[in-house]
Amino acid sequence: MLIKVLKEMANNELHSHAELAKKLELDPELVKQMFLNLENMGYIVSDDPSCVDDECEECGVCCTKKNKTEQEKVSVVATRWKLTEKGKEAVLKNM
């Protein structure tokens, strides 16, 4: 099931947990947990939606993230997720 979530993410479509749960016919809380599991396993990374797409050495996602205070990071309303190289490889392997 986790690979289905990765494949949906690879389609470059933005999904809320609820939208993805409906599409995959799963409970939204389960999908939320799946995102956390994928992040912990290194397949995806969360990102501040205001970030640019330039990668940096610190977070591997964007350079604007390291300039934010902890409070600014917490105040983000939505989470943007990106596949890591490991996530991209998993999708390609399971095509």
Side-chain angles (χ1 to χ4, degrees), residues 12-73:
N12 291 322
E13 296 178 22
L14 296 176
H15 293 288
S16 68
H17 295 135
E19 291 171 326
L20 191 55
K22 186 175 180 180
K23 184 170 186 171
L24 298 176
E25 298 179 354
L26 298 170
D27 181 89
E29 285 300 313
L30 176 61
V31 172
K32 184 177 179 180
Q33 186 61 50
M34 292 169 84
F35 271 72
L36 295 175
N37 290 343
L38 288 166
E39 182 178 33
N40 289 334
M41 293 186 298
Y43 289 99
I44 63 174
V45 291
S46 61
D47 189 15
D48 183 328
S50 65
C51 287
V52 296
D53 289 328
D54 297 330
E55 289 187 7
C56 74
E57 293 177 14
E58 183 178 329
C59 69
V61 180
C62 72
C63 291
T64 58
K65 194 173 198 172
K66 66 183 174 185
N67 295 326
K68 294 192 180 288
T69 65
E70 286 303 313
Q71 181 59 36
E72 288 172 318
K73 289 178 186 176

